[in-house]
Amino acid sequence: MKLPAGLVLVFLLCGALTARAQSGGLLIRVGAMQPTANLSDSNLTKGSFRVNIGYGKVFAGGHAGLDVTGFADVMKYNFYFDHFDKRFKGTTLYSGIAITPNYCINPGGEIRVSIALSIKTGYNWGYGNVYGYSERHDNYSDKLESKSLSASYSFAYSPMVTFAIPGNFGSVGLELGYDSTNYGTGINRLRSNYYAPLKYNSGYLFAGVFFRLHH
């Protein structure tokens, strides 16, 4: 399967930035997420997380920056159906490349505040299991079905605010924002013998930490 032209261009840009940059370094982001819309009868998203690893460059006297990272969004769901006799547990994995320009409001401050907009492109996979309630074990321990599939390519955007504390070798900080990545992309395409096809669509709010290494 061929990559879309836009994704190929992102890979080329990633290589060009790494080769030409004279300042910058490793960037790692890890965060938790919460969807903005719920499935009915659910206590979903426990264990959902997002990870970004890549390269970040700072220029213009510390005011501007550009990050190129590989990302993985692991989006989990958990809901009950059939009068609570059955339970669905599913995951969408969305993975690809993100380009994130950012602007620092106060590059000389002890706590540096920045605004950023991440543009993401990648591929989705969906996984889902159906469990039946076991009276003998008093829990949902009977696996009735297991499904997985390749879903589709998609694009998403993610505005955020970051707060960074600089150090001798880099900076650590906190980020808060919204991501338009659709929680339902993977599970909506699963076809089950136990429930009707889902039509679940939701972006998510996130909070996370990051580490940025400088040369």
Side-chain angles (χ1 to χ4, degrees), residues 10 52 67-71 96-100 118-121:
V10 171
N52 282 255
D67 305 329
V68 179
T69 58
F71 72 87
I97 297 292
I99 297 177
T100 309
S118 184
I119 306 299
K120 306 162 64 176
T121 181

Side-chain angles (χ1 to χ4, degrees), residues 50-66:
R50 52 185 260 146
V51 177
N52 282 255
I53 300 176
Y55 187 89
K57 181 184 178 182
V58 178
F59 46 91
H63 276 290
L66 184 66

